[in-house]
C-alpha cells in the first residue's frame, strides 16, 4: 500500500522552483542533472557523484534527509545550496549543513551562485520571488523525470505542475506565504502552456501550485475558456471560497476543473477566506456547507481544509461544528491539520515568545500526527482524544458509504476509500501517542512543556525515518536551531537587487 502510494501519489508532488532552476542552469550552458526523491531507493544515487554544485529543495518534515545528503556532498567537495519552504522558514538551522541558504531566487541569483560570487555561510535572497516561470515545454525533461514512469511513460495520475500567479492576498498567520504579494503571471504564458499540453499531452492532469488560484478570476478564466472545449485538460486548484462565488462554480465545470481544495481553517477565525463576513459558529457551518454543495454540482472532487488546535479553539464546539460540516457535506473530504509553527510566520513568533514551542523536537515531526507546540486551551491528552474523535467521524463506515453515494465516478470512489484507509492509519498513530501520554509521565511532561528532554520514542522514530542515513546525523544535529534569521553569528544575509 505504502509503495503504491509513493509511486502513484507522492511522485507527483514535485514543485516548480527546482524545475525552474534546472531550466535556468541549462539556459546558461551548464550540464544539468535533475531528480526527485519520493521515498523509494537511495536519494544520494539519483545524481552523479562528481557535481560542482548541488541545489536541494525540501519541506521541513524531510529536512533531516536533506541535511544528511548535504554532509555526503560536502565530503565529496560539492558546493551545497538549499532552498524551498524549509530554507525560507529555518535558514539559520540550514547553515549548519549547507554552504548557502536561499530564501527567494531568480535567474540572476542562480547565475551568481554558479559563478562563485558568495562565500560559504551566507543566507542569500533575490529582492523578490521570481516571475520567470519556464514554460511547460522548457520543463518537459524535468516533468518526465518527476511524473512519468521511469521518465518515459505517463502514469494514470501523472500531473503537470503549473503556476498562474505568485503569492497570496490573505494574511493567515500560520502560512509561510502570509507576507507575500499576490502577482498574476502573464496570461500569454498560461495560454502557451495550455496549447502545448493540448498538442503533446492531451488530457493530462494539471496541478496549479498557486497558493490561492484565480484571485483575478475573470483574467485567468478568460484564458482557460479560450481553449477549445475538447482540448481543456482537467486541473486541480487550491482557492478560497471568497473567490469561488456567484456563477464561478459553473465556470469551473466548463473549463474541466477536477478538484478544488478551499481552506475553511476555523469556525471562529479566517472568515474572510470563507466569504461569510463576520459569521462564526453554527451559522458559518451552514453557509460554508451550502457553498460546498454548490461547488459539488460543478466539480467532481472537493477537499475542505481545517486547522484544529488554534488559540481560538476551545471546548467541544470546534469538534462538534466540524463533525456537523462533515454530515452536511459528505462529498467534501476533510483534511484536519495540526498547527505547525513554521519559522518566519506570525504564529511561530507568537508561540516562541510564549515559550510554547517544543524546541527539542526534531524537524522530522513538524507534521501530523505529531504535536510540536503546547495548545492553549487543551492539555495534550484531551487534544489527542479530540483528534481521534474527529478522524473517527470522518473515517467511519457510515461516512464512507455516504461519500460513495455522492459520486458515480469510479476513480473518485477509489480515492475516497484510499483516503479513508489513510485516516484510519492516522487514528492508530494518534492512539499510540495518546497511550504514551497516559502511561509515560516523562512523555507527558515533554508535551506539557515541563521538560526539554526529548523522549526516547521520538529519538527512535527519527532514526527509523532516516534509515541508513541516521548515522550521518547526531542527536545534536537533529535538535533544531530555532534562532531567528539574522541573529546567528554565522549568518550573513545578502539580498540581490
Amino acid at each position: 500500500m505504502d509503495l503504491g502510494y509513493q509511486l502513484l501519489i507522492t511522485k507527483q508532488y514535485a514543485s516548480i522552483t527546482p524545475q525552474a532552476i534546472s531550466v535556468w542552469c541549462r539556459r546558461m550552458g551548464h550540464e544539468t542533472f535533475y531528480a526527485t526523491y519520493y521515498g523509494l531507493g537511495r536519494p544520494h544515487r539519483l545524481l552523479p557523484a562528481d557535481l560542482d554544485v548541488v541545489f536541494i529543495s525540501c519541506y521541513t518534515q524531510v529536512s533531516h534527509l536533506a541535511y544528511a545528503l548535504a554532509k555526503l556532498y560536502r565530503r565529496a567537495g560539492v558546493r551545497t545550496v538549499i532552498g524551498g519552504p524549509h530554507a525560507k522558514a529555518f535558514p539559520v538551522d540550514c547553515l549548519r549543513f549547507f554552504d548557502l541558504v536561499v530564501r527567494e531566487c531568480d535567474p540572476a541569483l542562480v547565475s551568481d551562485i554558479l559563478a562563485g560570487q558568495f562565500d560559504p555561510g551566507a543566507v542569500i535572497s533575490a529582492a523578490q520571488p521570481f516571475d520567470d516561470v519556464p514554460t511547460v515545454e522548457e520543463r518537459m525533461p524535468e516533468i518526465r523525470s518527476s511524473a512519468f514512469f521511469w521518465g518515459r511513460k505517463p502514469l494514470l495520475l501523472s500531473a503537470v505542475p503549473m503556476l498562474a500567479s505568485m503569492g497570496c492576498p490573505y494574511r493567515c498567520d500560520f502560512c509561510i506565504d502570509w507576507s507575500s504579494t499576490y502577482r498574476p503571471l502573464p496570461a500569454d504564458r498560461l495560454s502557451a502552456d495550455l496549447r502545448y499540453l493540448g498538442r503533446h499531452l492531451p488530457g493530462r492532469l494539471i496541478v496549479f501550485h498557486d497558493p490561492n488560484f484565480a484571485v483575478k478570476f475573470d483574467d485567468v478564466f478568460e484564458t482557460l475558456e479560450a481553449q477549445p472545449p475538447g482540448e481543456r485538460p482537467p486541473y486541480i486548484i487550491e482557492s478560497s471560497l471568497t473567490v469561488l462565488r456567484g456563477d464561478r462554480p459553473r465556470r469551473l465545470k466548463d473549463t474541466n476543473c477536477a478538484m478544488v481544495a478551499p481552506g475553511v481553517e476555523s469556525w471562529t477565525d479566517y472568515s474572510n477566506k470563507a466569504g461569510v463576513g463576520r459569521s462564526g459558529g453554527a451559522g458559518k457551518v451552514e453557509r460554508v456547507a451550502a457553498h460546498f454543495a454548490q461547488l459539488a454540482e460543478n466539480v467532481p472532487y472537493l477537499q475542505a481544509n481545517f486547522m484544529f488546535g488554534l488559540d481560538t479553539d476551545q471546548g467541544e464546539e470546534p469538534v462538534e461544528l466540524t463533525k456537523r460540516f462533515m454530515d452536511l457535506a459528505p462529498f467534501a473530504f476533510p483534511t484536519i491539520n495540526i498547527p505547525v509553527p513554521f519559522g518566519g510566520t506570525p504564529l511561530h513568533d507568537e508561540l516562541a515568545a510564549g515559550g510554547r514551542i517544543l524546541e527539542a523536537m526534531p524537524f522530522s515531526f513538524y507534521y501530523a500526527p505529531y504535536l510540536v507546540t503546547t495548545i492553549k486551551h487543551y492539555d495534550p491528552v484531551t487534544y489527542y482524544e479530540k483528534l481521534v474523535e474527529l478522524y473517527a467521524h470522518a473515517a467511519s463506515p457510515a461516512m464512507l458509504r455516504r461519500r460513495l453515494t455522492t459520486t458515480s465516478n469510479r476513480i473518485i470512489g477509489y480515492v475516497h476509500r484510499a483516503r479513508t484507509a489513510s485516516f484510519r492509519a492516522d487514528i492508530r498513530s494518534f492512539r499510540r501517542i495518546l497511550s504514551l501520554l497516559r502511561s509515560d509521565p516523562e512523555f507527558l511532561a515533554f508535551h506539557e512543556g515541563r521538560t526539554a528532554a526529548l523522549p526516547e520514542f521520538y529519538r527512535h522514530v527519527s532514526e527509523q525515518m532516516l534509515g541508513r542515513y541516521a548515522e550521518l546525523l547526531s542527536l545534536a544535529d537533529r535538535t533544531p536551531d530555532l534562532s531567528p534569521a539574522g541573529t546567528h553569528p554565522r549568518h550573513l544575509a545578502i539580498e540581490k537587487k
Side-chain angles (χ1 to χ4, degrees):
M1 179 72 175
D2 189 51
L3 175 65
Y5 188 89
Q6 289 171 324
L7 183 63
L8 296 174
I9 305 298
T10 307
K11 185 176 173 64
Q12 305 304 319
Y13 285 169
S15 59
I16 291 179
T17 302
Q19 295 183 355
I21 291 173
S22 182
V23 171
W24 297 337
C25 292
R26 196 159 57 240
R27 288 179 186 170
M28 297 172 198
H30 296 282
E31 187 178 13
T32 303
F33 304 90
Y34 167 90
T36 58
Y37 180 66
Y38 47 92
L40 301 177
R42 301 183 183 185
H44 73 277
R45 293 186 175 179
L46 295 174
L47 297 173
D50 58 343
L51 300 172
D52 296 308
V53 181
V54 63
F55 294 85
I56 294 178
S57 174
C58 70
Y59 293 104
T60 293
Q61 69 191 66
V62 294
S63 58
H64 285 173
L65 179 57
Y67 292 172
L69 294 176
K71 284 195 170 188
L72 290 175
Y73 284 117
R74 280 176 130 177
R75 287 178 186 176
V78 179
R79 173 164 288 201
T80 56
V81 184
I82 186 171
H86 180 65
K88 185 176 181 179
F90 300 105
V92 173
D93 194 72
C94 291
L95 275 183
R96 298 194 292 157
F97 306 95
F98 283 83
D99 296 316
L100 298 174
V101 179
V102 179
R103 304 194 72 174
E104 302 289 357
C105 72
D106 62 12
L109 186 75
V110 171
S111 178
D112 286 343
I113 292 171
L114 297 177
Q117 295 294 314
F118 306 108
D119 293 329
V123 176
I124 59 180
S125 181
Q128 63 181 19
F130 66 91
D131 289 322
D132 176 23
V133 181
T135 64
V136 169
E137 183 175 7
E138 284 186 291
R139 291 188 286 119
M140 275 311 299
E142 288 72 29
I143 292 170
R144 289 191 186 95
S145 174
S146 63
F148 289 14
F149 185 72
W150 292 114
R152 300 186 189 94
K153 184 177 180 181
L155 298 162
L156 176 64
L157 297 177
S158 289
V160 176
M162 288 177 54
L163 282 169
S165 63
M166 304 282 279
C168 181
Y170 296 103
R171 296 293 179 261
C172 300
D173 58 358
F174 57 82
C175 180
I176 63 172
D177 287 310
W178 75 275
S179 61
S180 63
T181 301
Y182 175 80
R183 304 187 314 286
L185 297 177
D188 58 351
R189 178 61 58 88
L190 174 59
S191 181
D193 282 342
L194 292 172
R195 288 196 302 271
Y196 178 86
L197 289 170
R199 290 194 303 268
H200 299 279
L201 290 172
R204 187 57 50 204
L205 179 69
I206 293 174
V207 177
F208 282 100
H209 286 216
D210 305 42
N212 202 318
F213 184 77
V215 172
K216 300 285 188 181
F217 193 91
D218 290 335
D219 294 344
V220 174
F221 273 77
E222 284 173 6
T223 302
L224 295 176
E225 291 162 346
Q227 309 307 308
E231 298 178 15
R232 296 172 181 173
Y235 63 92
I236 292 174
I237 61 171
E238 286 193 49
S239 190
S240 63
L241 292 175
T242 301
V243 171
L244 305 177
R245 64 186 188 276
D247 70 340
R248 291 175 175 179
R250 177 190 56 76
R251 296 175 73 180
L252 294 175
K253 180 179 182 178
D254 291 344
T255 53
N256 204 17
C257 181
M259 173 182 168
V260 179
V264 180
E265 318 305 359
S266 165
W267 300 117
T268 55
D269 206 351
Y270 310 107
S271 292
N272 58 331
K273 291 179 67 177
V276 296
R278 296 177 179 268
S279 296
K284 182 176 178 179
V285 174
E286 301 291 332
R287 292 181 63 180
V288 168
H291 199 155
F292 269 86
Q294 182 187 15
L295 287 171
E297 294 175 358
N298 296 278
V299 180
Y301 191 80
L302 298 176
Q303 175 177 296
N305 299 327
F306 298 96
M307 304 278 287
F308 175 61
L310 297 167
D311 283 359
T312 54
D313 291 333
Q314 55 183 315
E316 298 293 332
E317 185 178 43
V319 175
E320 293 304 317
L321 291 177
T322 304
K323 289 162 60 177
R324 173 63 177 160
F325 173 82
M326 294 181 205
D327 292 339
L328 290 172
F331 41 79
F333 204 96
T335 62
I336 302 162
N337 297 296
I338 296 174
V340 177
F342 293 114
T345 63
L347 177 66
H348 175 275
D349 295 344
E350 180 181 350
L351 295 180
R356 292 171 54 194
I357 297 177
L358 306 180
E359 296 185 351
M361 185 71 93
F363 284 135
S364 303
F365 302 101
Y366 274 53
Y367 73 107
Y370 307 106
L371 184 62
V372 300
T373 69
T374 56
I375 302 297
K376 184 173 183 178
H377 294 296
Y378 301 101
D379 63 83
V381 170
T382 302
Y383 180 71
Y384 272 98
E385 287 175 342
K386 295 192 178 304
L387 277 176
V388 169
E389 183 179 349
L390 280 169
Y391 272 65
H393 192 83
S396 68
M399 184 61 70
L400 177 59
R401 286 193 297 271
R402 291 191 63 199
R403 287 200 179 99
L404 293 177
T405 62
T406 65
T407 181
S408 59
N409 187 301
R410 291 180 60 188
I411 294 178
I412 291 176
Y414 170 77
V415 172
H416 280 322
R417 289 185 175 91
R419 296 193 72 179
T420 298
S422 177
F423 260 44
R424 291 170 182 170
D426 288 336
I427 292 171
R428 292 192 291 271
S429 297
F430 292 146
R431 285 176 171 157
R432 179 171 61 164
I433 294 171
L434 184 57
S435 176
L436 288 168
L437 289 168
R438 289 168 171 164
S439 63
D440 186 337
E442 290 301 314
F443 192 85
L444 178 62
F446 176 75
H447 275 284
E448 290 180 336
R450 293 184 286 110
T451 177
L454 184 69
E456 183 59 34
F457 169 79
Y458 290 118
R459 297 184 191 183
H460 177 67
V461 173
S462 68
E463 290 191 357
Q464 284 185 316
M465 291 176 176
L466 283 167
R468 68 193 75 209
Y469 297 98
E471 63 184 26
L472 293 169
L473 296 182
S474 66
L475 181 59
D477 288 337
R478 296 177 218 161
T479 302
D481 183 339
L482 300 179
S483 302
T487 62
H488 195 281
R490 290 184 59 229
H491 178 279
L492 173 63
I494 299 173
E495 185 176 278
K496 292 290 290 185
K497 300 295 184 181

